[in-house]
Amino acid sequence: MTQKTGRRLADGTAISDLVDLEMREVKLRTLSDREIYDIEQEKIFGKIWLLLGHESEIPNKGDFMQRHMGEDSVIVSRDRKGEVHVMLNVCPHRGMKITTHESGNTNVHTCIYHGWAFKSDGDFLGSPVADQCMHGKMRGKEELGLTKARVTLYGGLVWATWNINGPSLEEFLGDTKWYYDMLYCRSKKGLEVAGPPQRFIIRANWKTAGEQSAADGYHTLTLHRWLGEMGNYSSDEGTQGSELAKEMLGAEVSSPHGHALRCIDLARKIVKLTGKDPSELSVEEKLRALPPPGMTSEMVDDLFETMTPEQLEVMAWMPPQVGGMFPNIIFEFLYLPQPDGTVVGSLALHTYVPKGPDKLEFTNWIFVERDTPPELKEQMIQQSVQLLGTSGMVESDDSDTWPHMTLSAKGAQGRNSTLKYQAIYETGKPEGWPGPGIVNEGFTKDDTQWHWWKYWYELMTAED
């Protein structure tokens, strides 16, 4: 049992009173309060694993990119041996940024202020006017390197944490890793980025986007209803938008660490493509008829070498397509119907980097499989940018709501309102479901987002 702290805000409110665990409600003030935001930088962004990018962004020795862990700027670099490192982008001499560039290539990072120099792994090299020993003699060179984070690569994704002796990334992901493997570890050569990530600033608290990323499917029917009226899920059959409503059915995976996945049934798409009942097809036949997003029928061979039989069953039946990783990540591996009846995949991943209690940086990566044919890559990239990019139609919808929620949280009355997560699953796993974790079947509910908030609560009230 995690021990709770009696820490209180300046007005006397206990952190633990911000979340009503019995009623599944969260005070709206959590989306704007400066004190709460500052504590999050310490308790969340200073403690847990954070996603910084993909190793294909720094393919060569000496390549580096500047990213953020909360509000801390960091350098993500590849050293002479090809190893990836993450270092605090703060010179230990006088606090200047070591690099002000977004990316580049160098084997030596030199501070422009006083010229202190560091290797690509963060170790201190020396200071100018060596005979004068301007770095002093009170600390040895081994003490003057850049502060280093703990780093793990998973499926090419670069993760880091300041909690050097804390849980491993695998422990942090828990049961959900079984599902994420289907996305990021499914092929031999793996994924690569389709260019640098897109970025833009939104005047909103990072949690407005973060909690939605925990597999909130419900808002799709209203905020993105155009998808069912004239977009990829429009249909000439039956009720307008009915195809989009069917996408809300499936299985949802929750996690005690706030990770979430929405697994959507492929049966309707397979019937349209093959004219056959999916129950009459083998796992391999279904995967070749409808390969995972971004893969061709020929690339399906890789799956039988990288995935377990149980994972293959889920990939051919009800694969993860949308979801998030706590605290600020959403992924989209979508099977998007085309006007000619075919299906083209879109692979995107967003992070919502906090830039203050009412500002976040939206970062969007578009992925393709390394072995994907060039013409399919181009089609995927174009479709992903139009739908999921910083100017994409879906993200334009979402980024319009978050600032309004943040403003609502600032009002004298509004800040005492609550966010409610009271639509609860009563079903359990689909019959025959082979995967681990907290799994429920049916129309999308609030469970995944509630588990997100419960982990936020656990971290914010834990003793140091």
Side-chain angles (χ1 to χ4, degrees):
M1 180 71 69
T2 303
Q3 189 177 8
K4 303 304 177 186
T5 179
R7 189 166 184 171
R8 293 179 178 272
L9 302 175
D11 66 358
T13 301
I15 296 294
S16 57
D17 288 341
L18 296 171
V19 179
D20 187 330
L21 295 176
E22 183 177 347
M23 290 299 295
R24 294 168 59 120
E25 296 185 4
V26 181
K27 284 295 181 78
L28 191 59
R29 69 178 291 185
T30 57
L31 302 184
S32 68
D33 193 291
R34 163 60 76 173
E35 277 187 279
I36 294 171
Y37 176 84
D38 289 340
I39 296 170
E40 289 169 344
Q41 295 303 303
E42 169 195 345
K43 295 277 194 175
I44 297 177
F45 292 93
K47 296 289 186 183
I48 67 169
W49 288 97
L50 302 170
L51 176 65
L52 301 180
H54 194 270
E55 64 171 338
S56 62
E57 296 179 80
I58 48 170
N60 305 309
K61 296 175 182 179
D63 283 351
F64 72 90
M65 53 191 179
Q66 183 183 170
R67 294 290 152 82
H68 284 80
M69 296 174 66
E71 290 208 12
D72 284 312
S73 171
V74 295
I75 301 170
V76 183
S77 72
R78 193 179 291 276
D79 68 16
R80 292 176 181 269
K81 297 179 181 178
E83 298 294 319
V84 176
H85 302 268
V86 174
M87 303 92 67
L88 186 65
N89 189 20
V90 175
C91 184
H93 182 218
R94 299 286 168 80
M96 174 61 189
K97 271 189 170 185
I98 298 298
T99 186
T100 56
H101 299 292
E102 290 300 311
S103 61
N105 181 281
T106 183
N107 288 315
V108 178
H109 295 277
T110 304
C111 178
I112 63 170
Y113 193 11
H114 293 95
W116 282 30
F118 306 86
K119 297 179 183 178
S120 51
D121 64 0
D123 286 349
F124 179 63
L125 269 175
S127 56
V129 198
D131 62 322
Q132 295 299 315
C133 194
M134 292 303 293
H135 56 272
K137 298 179 180 179
M138 299 179 73
R139 291 185 182 274
K141 284 190 173 183
E142 69 280 359
E143 296 181 82
L144 297 176
L146 303 180
T147 300
K148 300 180 184 182
R150 181 181 172 193
V151 180
T152 294
L153 299 184
Y154 166 62
L157 300 172
V158 180
W159 294 79
T161 179
W162 301 116
N163 193 356
I164 305 302
N165 299 312
S168 67
L169 177 65
E170 186 168 352
E171 291 173 311
F172 175 62
L173 295 179
D175 287 337
T176 55
K177 181 180 179 297
W178 191 86
Y179 300 92
Y180 295 135
D181 285 351
M182 300 180 205
L183 308 176
Y184 299 104
C185 304
R186 63 190 188 177
S187 63
K188 293 178 183 177
K189 291 189 178 180
L191 301 173
E192 63 181 359
V193 292
Q198 301 173 306
R199 301 183 192 180
F200 74 112
I201 296 295
I202 302 174
R203 299 293 301 186
N205 185 275
W206 71 273
K207 293 187 297 302
T208 59
E211 65 90 38
Q212 185 197 97
S213 71
D216 175 12
Y218 186 37
H219 80 281
T220 306
L221 295 175
T222 48
L223 189 62
H224 306 311
R225 70 180 186 181
W226 58 269
L227 280 167
E229 295 173 343
M230 61 180 183
N232 296 73
Y233 297 98
S234 60
S235 174
D236 296 330
E237 305 170 9
T239 306
Q240 192 175 51
S242 61
E243 289 299 304
L244 186 60
K246 293 173 184 176
E247 294 293 308
M248 300 304 105
L249 297 169
E252 292 190 343
V253 183
S254 297
S255 163
H257 289 164
H259 314 309
L261 304 103
R262 293 192 61 237
C263 302
I264 303 171
D265 199 331
L266 298 180
R268 298 184 308 280
K269 292 183 174 67
I270 292 174
V271 168
K272 286 184 178 181
L273 288 169
T274 67
K276 299 178 180 179
D277 184 339
S279 65
E280 298 174 356
L281 301 175
S282 68
V283 166
E284 182 174 354
E285 288 172 328
K286 286 186 282 189
L287 287 170
R288 292 201 187 279
L290 183 58
M295 301 186 84
T296 63
S297 180
E298 293 74 23
M299 295 168 67
V300 166
D301 291 340
D302 273 14
L303 299 178
F304 289 88
E305 297 187 39
T306 58
M307 299 287 102
T308 67
E310 291 78 16
Q311 287 172 317
L312 291 170
E313 181 183 353
V314 170
M315 293 180 81
W317 170 21
M318 210 180 293
Q321 295 186 46
V322 182
M325 303 173 182
F326 187 91
N328 63 336
I329 304 163
I330 186 172
F331 68 84
E332 293 141 321
F333 277 59
L334 304 178
Y335 301 73
L336 294 175
Q338 305 298 304
D340 63 0
T342 61
V343 174
V344 173
S346 282
L347 315 183
L349 187 151
H350 314 321
T351 59
Y352 308 111
V353 181
K355 296 292 183 181
D358 58 0
K359 187 164 68 173
L360 66 88
E361 182 180 70
F362 177 108
T363 306
N364 173 51
W365 288 268
I366 294 172
F367 290 104
V368 292
E369 289 283 355
R370 294 178 193 268
D371 283 344
T372 301
E375 62 277 9
L376 178 56
K377 282 186 181 181
E378 184 58 36
Q379 193 175 1
M380 289 174 60
I381 293 168
Q382 182 178 359
Q383 177 175 257
S384 298
V385 169
Q386 290 173 344
L387 278 180
L388 308 171
T390 53
S391 59
M393 297 177 71
V394 169
E395 304 314 330
S396 295
D397 291 342
D398 288 329
S399 59
D400 186 52
T401 63
W402 303 329
H404 290 292
M405 295 167 68
T406 304
L407 288 171
S408 296
K410 292 183 177 183
Q413 299 302 316
R415 68 201 308 264
N416 291 316
S417 299
T418 58
L419 305 164
K420 298 172 180 64
Y421 302 88
Q422 294 158 349
I424 305 171
Y425 272 116
E426 299 175 347
T427 52
K429 295 182 179 182
E431 185 178 354
W433 187 262
I438 307 167
V439 184
N440 286 284
E441 180 183 22
F443 191 86
T444 182
K445 293 290 192 297
D446 293 338
D447 295 61
T448 52
Q449 289 179 278
W450 178 240
H451 279 94
W452 190 96
W453 275 109
K454 285 182 71 176
Y455 192 50
W456 180 91
Y457 172 89
E458 179 180 333
L459 291 170
M460 291 288 283
T461 59
E463 292 285 0
D464 292 331

